[in-house]
Amino acid sequence: FVTAWGELAKAHAADGGARLAVLSESFCSPTLARLASELRTRFPKLQWATYDAVSDENRLAGLRQAAGRDVDLMLRLDRAAVILCLDADPLLTDPETIRHARGFADGRRAGAAGGAMNRLYAVEGVYSLTGAMADHRLRLESRRIPAFLAALAARLGATSTSSGQATASPAGDLPGVEGRWIDAVAKDLQANRGKGLIVAGERQPPAVHAAVCALNTHLGNTGKTVSY
């Protein structure tokens, strides 16, 4: 490959890289950023495009819808006594994985030190590392997460704006899911107002992220376990 690139580099140098394009996933690596800068310096007409099949666009659009401006969130798992992950894997696939894992581990160690250990609920269609670590896991298709969120919001006395297609009944029932499972989550979050945290995954539509933002605010979690 190195030998072949040597010949290609000579050809592209002739036109400044006008016929050269690089496709990569989104990245935050300082090393890759430096290498990309060096490549652009060598080939000033180079085109560099990034693409992710699943990206942060849904989350950012949902937060913009909820906040009325461009913001991103910071999760503080170390401050959360109760964590609910909806089609989300903050312990593995999130860019802040290491910080999240440390915060979650701190909450686990609290139990060994005589304090209250955190509790993790996971609702997901694909088995994840976060789901493997969960105290309580509910298998549910990703497309039904909006309906689950609507059912949970009904039990918490909040208005859910997760989706116009949510199928939960006015009473907060969700076909195929035991009502007591949602009841238990709602009771735990309500009992830990300001110490709970709800997280939505990147696969979920913007409306779900907006609804999660509103529900965290309703529960007093904003500014404590999550900030923007």
Side-chain angles (χ1 to χ4, degrees):
F1 175 80
V2 174
T3 302
W5 171 246
E7 295 301 317
L8 287 172
K10 294 177 183 178
H12 288 303
D15 61 6
R19 295 179 293 112
L20 180 61
V22 177
L23 176 63
S24 75
E25 62 182 5
S26 299
F27 60 89
C28 57
S29 164
T31 299
L32 186 52
R34 175 178 57 79
L35 293 174
S37 178
E38 292 177 0
L39 193 62
R40 288 192 179 99
T41 299
R42 185 174 182 183
F43 304 105
K45 296 181 180 180
L46 163 77
Q47 296 184 63
W48 188 298
T50 59
Y51 172 78
D52 299 280
V54 178
S55 69
D56 57 6
E57 292 179 2
N58 284 346
R59 183 184 75 249
L60 297 177
L63 294 177
R64 186 185 308 116
Q65 177 182 328
R69 59 192 177 92
D70 290 322
V71 295
D72 204 350
L73 54 75
M74 173 174 284
L75 306 177
R76 294 298 304 267
L77 273 69
D78 57 315
R79 299 178 180 177
V82 178
I83 305 163
L84 170 62
C85 292
L86 302 173
D87 197 23
D89 192 8
L91 298 181
L92 180 63
T93 62
D94 192 282
E96 295 285 343
T97 290
I98 294 177
R99 184 172 60 80
H100 292 167
R102 286 174 175 168
F104 178 72
D106 287 343
R108 286 307 205 208
R109 280 192 291 267
M117 187 175 75
N118 60 17
R119 284 179 300 286
L120 174 60
Y121 297 85
V123 182
E124 58 187 14
V126 178
Y127 200 47
S128 69
L129 178 61
T130 298
M133 295 297 295
D135 301 288
H136 307 281
R137 178 181 181 271
L138 175 66
R139 188 175 67 176
L140 190 70
E141 300 97 323
S142 292
R143 62 182 175 82
R144 299 186 68 198
I145 294 295
F148 179 92
L149 189 57
L152 178 64
R155 284 164 167 77
L156 292 171
T159 301
S160 174
T161 58
S162 60
S163 172
Q165 300 177 353
T167 57
S169 73
D173 296 325
L174 184 60
V177 176
E178 289 190 28
R180 62 179 182 176
W181 207 99
I182 309 176
D183 290 338
V185 178
K187 183 178 180 180
D188 215 355
L189 288 169
Q190 196 73 269
N192 287 276
R193 295 179 63 86
K195 296 185 295 181
L197 176 62
I198 305 175
V199 186
E202 309 290 14
R203 285 186 291 265
Q204 291 301 306
V208 166
H209 290 274
V212 165
C213 178
L215 206 51
N216 273 320
T217 297
H218 174 76
L219 290 167
N221 301 331
T222 301
K224 297 175 182 176
T225 60
V226 58
S227 58
Y228 302 95

